[in-house]
Amino acid sequence: VNWSDWEAFAEDKAWDLSQYGGNSGDGEKTVSARFKDALGHQMTTPASDTITVDTIPPTGMIVINEGAAVTGPGDVTLSLSVSDDRSGVEPGGQMVLSNNGTTWSPFLPYVASRGWTFDVYDGNNDEGIKTVYVKFMDAAGNWMQDAVSDVIELDKTGPTGTILINN
């Protein structure tokens, strides 16, 4: 173990994990401290704690209405999944949603399923292809850089037809 020089006690101490034989890369880190009193008596066992360094954003996906190609008027259901190998997503993971990839919802707590409408956040309920975008944030505060999305066609027009009997 590599120790720093003795210094005056302080309740808070900024620390660089790469000092004294450590490294600041991602993963679990243990920081240890020794204390001594005014007479020079040292602790027999150092105090220590661990922290997980996480600088890698999560990955995720979105599926609208269980992958259906077409939907009628009304809300759709978004199935949302996210993965993060370091800090995880819960507790504290968040997401933002959009109908155009530019105007985003407020931060929302991560949930695996939620209802959604196309007429919010600069979207509309016009017929046609609709895209819903999502970005996820892990428990360490790392946001996905690029959104993931899914598409579905909104069809609000019923069928028309004719029938011809005994022509």
Side-chain angles (χ1 to χ4, degrees):
V1 176
N2 296 321
W3 294 99
S4 67
D5 293 333
W6 289 102
E7 56 187 80
F9 175 80
E11 288 187 25
D12 295 312
K13 167 75 175 160
W15 192 255
D16 180 347
L17 292 171
S18 65
Q19 293 179 313
Y20 303 102
N23 73 67
S24 58
D26 278 19
E28 187 174 273
K29 310 296 178 189
T30 300
V31 177
S32 300
R34 301 180 301 174
F35 300 97
K36 69 178 180 176
D37 63 19
L39 299 175
H41 301 121
Q42 296 181 26
M43 295 174 66
T44 55
T45 304
S48 64
D49 200 1
T50 59
I51 187 171
T52 299
V53 176
D54 178 4
T55 60
I56 300 170
T59 58
M61 63 181 298
I62 180 174
V63 176
I64 303 171
N65 279 2
E66 298 180 352
V70 179
T71 188
D75 291 358
V76 294
T77 299
L78 306 179
S79 298
L80 304 150
S81 62
V82 61
S83 175
D84 185 78
D85 293 338
R86 296 274 189 239
S87 62
V89 178
E90 297 184 57
Q94 296 188 22
M95 61 185 179
V96 289
L97 294 159
S98 174
N99 282 316
N100 64 8
T102 304
T103 304
W104 295 92
S105 69
F107 296 156
L108 303 166
Y110 168 72
V111 293
S113 179
R114 70 175 295 122
W116 187 251
T117 60
F118 298 119
D119 62 348
V120 293
Y121 309 109
D122 284 343
N124 62 61
N125 273 328
D126 298 342
E127 287 191 313
I129 301 297
K130 301 297 178 182
T131 305
V132 180
Y133 302 84
V134 64
K135 288 185 183 183
F136 297 104
M137 182 191 80
D138 65 19
N142 301 307
W143 281 97
M144 294 174 66
Q145 194 166 18
D146 298 318
V148 292
S149 63
D150 194 21
V151 298
I152 195 166
E153 181 179 355
L154 176 59
D155 181 357
K156 301 190 304 185
T157 305
T160 61
T162 60
I163 186 169
L164 183 61
I165 301 174
N166 293 333
N167 188 5

